[in-house]
Amino acid sequence: MASDFDRRRFLKAASAAGLVGLAGCSGGPSDDGSDGSDGSDGSDGDDGSDGSDGSDGSDGSDGSDGDDVPATVGIVYSDGGLGDNSFNDAAQQGLLDAEEEFGIAYDESQPSDTGEFGQYQQRYASSTDPDYDLVSCIGFNQTDALAENAPQFPDEDFMLVDSVVEEPNVASYLFREHEGSFLMGVLAARLTEMEFSAGAGSTASDSTNLGFVGGVDSPVIRRFQAGFEAGVDYASDDVDVITSYVGSYADPSGGQEAALSMYQSGADVVYHASGATGVGVFQAAQEEGRFALGVDLDQSITEPEFSDVILASMVKRVDTAVYESISNVIDGEHQGGETVALGLESNGVECVYGDEIGGEVPDEVVTAVSDARDAIIAGDIDVPETTDGN
């Protein structure tokens, strides 16, 4: 699989050097690509054979020159790129799962800035060699570009993650991040009120603070914040949440600085929704002997060097959205014009306890999180999607 994977890559040279290994998703580790076959050895961007000169990747070098593949997919990743061990890597996992299951062909692109989303979408949509059956657009920041491009290519199928474009050829996938984040708030608030130690972290019994670090301030990340704060309020009347937006999904030093300030202000646990910026949060947790909460993938698996401080991760099944959209296209059932919302009830978001220390979370806290999950699904808890400030 490694040779096919490298041959199919289409990456910007500026992004290729930053790739690291891909690893698991909800429910535990995965071997797909975690051995370095995701290009973490640099082999995907050093020989120029993958389109890293800025070409559009639609030259058929993905192996789609054969007629026996059930679908050919072009995927445009969000800013921050692959190797974030979070959002983009979760999307890629869905692509790899579809390749393994169906034998699809694909090309990938990582725009170096948000202004390039439109041109990459267009290049896939206009290509005839290969002819792409689906263009996957990962991230809310592709919304404006896709809203302009989709009507220009009415015969092309698109899918979009984290936003909605109301066009008959676009399937839009949203996640109820606030629901999963509510559970993280319950977990953090209950733990911060007790003396608890596990791995390299511990809580201070007199702590009344928790932290939230966001990447780019946007409605999607505000849903993470809103749910987390609501979960904290639900579990305790005495715990406050300190928030900070770094302004980037690829700034670990900024994440570390923000989290250090929170820990040094008394926070026992910091939850991040910031892509690769969150690595800095984990670094700060280890420095201060406190805890962190991961996002999108089970980051105790994807960031194993920090597994001794990662209590749990709010897994967001972006892989499911990508995989199902590809499956639908293969079956001739593309959900164009529809919006699919994935929440706790559909396991689109989940609280996954850390691989190393999650099993040490006290039973009473696990029960409180489980009860909150059941109450949200039953409609007994209405989780807000927006914060007081937005």
Side-chain angles (χ1 to χ4, degrees):
M1 182 175 175
S3 60
D4 286 345
F5 187 84
D6 290 340
R7 175 166 54 84
R8 290 173 180 172
R9 272 205 179 278
F10 164 52
L11 303 174
K12 296 287 287 181
S15 302
L19 299 185
V20 297
L22 172 70
C25 52
S26 175
S30 166
D31 292 329
D32 287 343
S34 59
D35 58 359
S37 61
D38 64 338
S40 58
D41 58 0
S43 60
D44 66 326
D46 294 340
D47 59 4
S49 61
D50 60 355
S52 58
D53 59 354
S55 61
D56 62 20
S58 59
D59 59 1
S61 61
D62 64 342
S64 59
D65 50 337
D67 296 327
D68 57 343
V69 296
T72 302
V73 178
I75 187 167
V76 184
Y77 293 109
S78 184
D79 51 333
L82 289 170
D84 60 2
N85 288 333
S86 186
F87 181 66
N88 283 309
D89 283 0
Q92 189 191 53
Q93 185 64 56
L95 188 71
L96 296 176
D97 289 345
E99 182 202 31
E100 182 177 354
E101 179 71 19
F102 306 119
I104 65 165
Y106 62 85
D107 272 317
E108 304 170 282
S109 62
Q110 298 183 84
S112 57
D113 66 56
T114 57
E116 295 178 346
F117 287 131
Q119 70 186 49
Y120 284 102
Q121 294 171 8
Q122 290 176 11
R123 288 176 182 178
Y124 285 132
S126 62
S127 173
T128 57
D129 184 18
D131 182 9
Y132 291 92
D133 301 287
L134 177 69
V135 179
S136 297
C137 304
I138 308 303
F140 70 90
N141 45 14
Q142 299 202 44
T143 305
D144 291 343
L146 185 56
E148 182 176 342
N149 284 327
Q152 297 181 36
F153 299 95
D155 296 328
E156 179 66 58
D157 288 338
F158 297 88
M159 68 86 68
L160 175 64
V161 172
D162 273 353
S163 189
V164 175
V165 169
E166 295 182 349
E167 293 292 339
N169 55 339
V170 178
S172 301
Y173 289 82
L174 297 179
F175 290 83
R176 301 186 186 279
E177 298 93 349
H178 49 298
E179 292 183 353
S181 297
F182 186 97
L183 304 186
M184 309 308 276
V186 172
L187 170 64
R190 291 295 297 266
L191 283 177
T192 199
E193 292 187 320
M194 62 178 63
E195 292 186 5
F196 171 72
S197 296
S202 63
T203 62
S205 59
D206 59 348
S207 173
T208 58
N209 290 332
L210 298 167
F212 174 82
V213 174
V216 176
D217 193 346
S218 64
V220 172
I221 305 303
R222 287 279 177 174
R223 286 202 293 272
F224 284 94
Q225 179 189 339
F228 183 65
E229 291 176 341
V232 171
D233 289 343
Y234 176 82
S236 174
D237 295 328
D238 301 320
V239 179
D240 297 321
V241 178
I242 308 168
T243 65
S244 177
Y245 281 80
V246 177
S248 171
Y249 297 115
D251 183 7
S253 62
Q256 183 179 24
E257 181 180 355
L260 279 174
S261 176
M262 295 172 182
Y263 290 125
Q264 291 168 1
S265 296
D268 284 327
V269 185
V270 175
Y271 175 39
H272 90 92
S274 61
T277 296
V279 170
V281 175
F282 302 148
Q283 291 170 335
Q286 282 187 334
E287 285 183 44
E288 297 297 317
R290 299 304 185 199
F291 295 110
L293 300 173
V295 75
D296 292 335
L297 292 173
D298 179 353
Q299 293 201 286
S300 71
I301 299 295
T302 65
E303 301 285 359
E305 63 270 39
F306 304 111
S307 62
D308 58 356
V309 294
I310 299 175
L311 284 168
S313 296
M314 204 294 283
V315 172
K316 176 176 170 179
R317 299 307 301 266
V318 181
D319 57 330
T320 298
V322 172
Y323 176 90
E324 290 191 354
S325 67
I326 295 170
S327 177
N328 289 338
V329 166
I330 292 172
D331 293 340
E333 298 176 354
H334 179 61
Q335 294 178 286
E338 298 182 25
T339 299
V340 180
L342 301 173
L344 287 175
E345 187 171 11
S346 60
N347 295 318
V349 294
E350 304 175 70
C351 171
V352 175
Y353 292 96
D355 186 60
E356 181 175 341
I357 63 174
E360 299 182 46
V361 174
D363 289 344
E364 64 188 274
V365 177
V366 173
T367 298
V369 172
S370 179
D371 289 346
R373 179 184 186 275
D374 292 343
I376 293 170
I377 293 173
D380 297 330
I381 296 176
D382 185 17
V383 184
E385 298 185 40
T386 59
T387 62
D388 291 340
N390 191 2

